[in-house]
Amino acid sequence: MARSLINVPKTARAGSVIEIKTLISHPMETGYRPGPEGRLLPRNIITTFVCRYAGEEVFRAELYPASSANPYLTFTTRATQSGTLTFTWSGDNGFEQTESATIEVT
């Protein structure tokens, strides 16, 4: 399981725009780089990131081999209701990780 960091405001006013920041530790190996023995290291990247807010998808990113290791994503959404934000990273070799954070909207 990869380590992830998520920064979501604890509270927000209804209708305000909030900034969300995510970071996940992952090597993002492209499949083009030779290893110590000279053979190419197998590709191992995160291909998709999805954020859902109260069950509704609010952000999606497709990642490619040119993405850096430990991908950092920041985006905004509108605070509409108190609830849970669910973050899912998925990729090669069956990799999938889901984390969540809550926000209270007043």
Side-chain angles (χ1 to χ4, degrees), residues 50-72:
V50 177
C51 175
R52 289 183 173 80
Y53 181 13
E56 181 182 337
E57 187 176 304
V58 293
F59 183 81
R60 173 180 288 268
E62 303 295 326
L63 303 175
Y64 296 92
S67 300
S68 68
N70 308 320
Y72 170 78

Side-chain angles (χ1 to χ4, degrees), residues 32-102:
Y32 300 116
R33 194 169 61 95
E37 297 95 33
R39 291 188 304 250
L40 292 179
L41 296 170
R43 180 180 133 141
N44 181 15
I45 68 168
I46 294 173
T47 56
T48 308
F49 170 79
V50 177
C51 175
R52 289 183 173 80
Y53 181 13
E56 181 182 337
E57 187 176 304
V58 293
F59 183 81
R60 173 180 288 268
E62 303 295 326
L63 303 175
Y64 296 92
S67 300
S68 68
N70 308 320
Y72 170 78
L73 298 167
T74 184
F75 57 96
T76 59
T77 191
R78 192 165 303 278
T80 56
Q81 62 184 332
S82 296
T84 302
L85 289 112
T86 305
F87 308 91
T88 304
W89 295 263
S90 56
D92 295 339
N93 308 315
F95 176 82
E96 185 167 300
Q97 182 160 334
T98 301
E99 302 288 342
S100 62
T102 58

Side-chain angles (χ1 to χ4, degrees), residues 19-41:
E19 182 177 53
I20 299 167
K21 300 175 184 179
T22 67
L23 174 75
I24 188 164
S25 64
H26 193 279
M28 297 295 280
E29 187 55 59
T30 65
Y32 300 116
R33 194 169 61 95
E37 297 95 33
R39 291 188 304 250
L40 292 179
L41 296 170

